[in-house]
Amino acid sequence: MSSISAIWTQFFPPANGAPITEANLTSQAGKVFIVTGGSSGLGYELSRILYGAGAKVYLLTRSKEHADDAISRMQSFYEASDGAPNSKPRGSLHFIFMDLVDLATVKAAAQEFLGRETGPGARLDALFNNAGTGALKKAPKTRQGHEYHFGTNSLGGFLLARLLTPILTSTAQKAPTGSVRVVWPASCLVDMMTPKGGIRSEFLRDQGAVTDANELYSSSKAASWFVASEFARRQPEGVLHIAGNPGNYLSNIWRDTPALLYWILRPILRDPVHGAETYLFMAFSESVTLDDAAAGRYVICDGRWHPGQREDLLLALRSVEEGGSGRAKEYFDWCEDKVNEFVR
């Protein structure tokens, strides 16, 4: 396990410590973003802030009804300030259907996005792979028969990033160095509950080998970090992939927590807007560089570098030839195999 102080600061970050917030985010007019799960929780707050900064925001989620409601609420949020001094021009909000439990819908969503963003002005400035699930007992398998936590928290986002790599790369070629990014959310439980190496090798051989919901959830979040690091290593076309723990929020963890434990933990569950502020740091901070991404550095709430992760997880990021365990590479290759039929 990581040091107590490293875990403590993720549960109790400094007050008002986020370096990038809605208040100081620069205009994003002319930029295009994708937020998966953009109709609720952290994704909603992030989409709202980006829209308020002038961006074109695509919400990829599985419910049009929820997306339409979210879009209406985002628009209403700013109506009172429109025309006020220093108010920023608003952007636009767009829904595309996608359900992470079915990789076919992920491919269809990517194709629909690319069909809408055409011509010389087509771009994608950042993909926020925000959507996912908490720890679920007796979780069903995905449509393709994969373990639910990994399918929802990892494989779906992996496929989406693979399919959108060409437009991300072309955008990076005409944008400031390191400004085009893919953001991958992890969890404080990566430090606390993952097995040695982050993901058991036996799970990669047989997805039924692990049945504990908490381990499956935490390992699926470590998987986000692993693929971010591997993307950064394998695709050095200027697209920056960065992973991190946006924070502890009622909407995305502890779903199966017993009632008594939930009420004990309730004081540490924060407003989702603070998670959005972590995403803003990951997506826009100039202190996050391509070299950081290639090194597998990891962000914690509210936009800080992790003070010291477990040695076995750091070794997982390195290949066997580099003296590591090679688990991140092994997992990335596993993902490539599982999504192969959808990237042809």
Side-chain angles (χ1 to χ4, degrees), residues 315-332:
L315 288 173
L317 301 179
R318 303 178 201 161
S319 67
V320 174
E321 294 75 17
E322 295 170 316
S325 69
R327 189 58 47 82
K329 178 181 183 299
E330 182 183 7
Y331 179 71
F332 191 99

Side-chain angles (χ1 to χ4, degrees), residues 111-126:
Q111 290 175 328
E112 183 171 347
F113 171 80
L114 294 172
R116 294 194 197 182
E117 292 295 317
T118 59
R123 64 187 299 130
L124 176 58
D125 293 271

Side-chain angles (χ1 to χ4, degrees), residues 197-209:
I199 302 170
R200 296 183 192 273
S201 58
E202 53 264 40
F203 172 84
L204 300 181
R205 295 191 296 269
D206 174 10
Q207 294 182 56

Side-chain angles (χ1 to χ4, degrees), residues 10-13 247-249 253-254 264-270:
Q10 294 181 69
F11 280 100
F12 301 100
N248 313 299
Y249 306 95
I253 60 173
W254 312 114
I264 293 173
L265 294 170
R266 182 64 182 87
I268 67 175
L269 301 180
R270 307 170 69 217

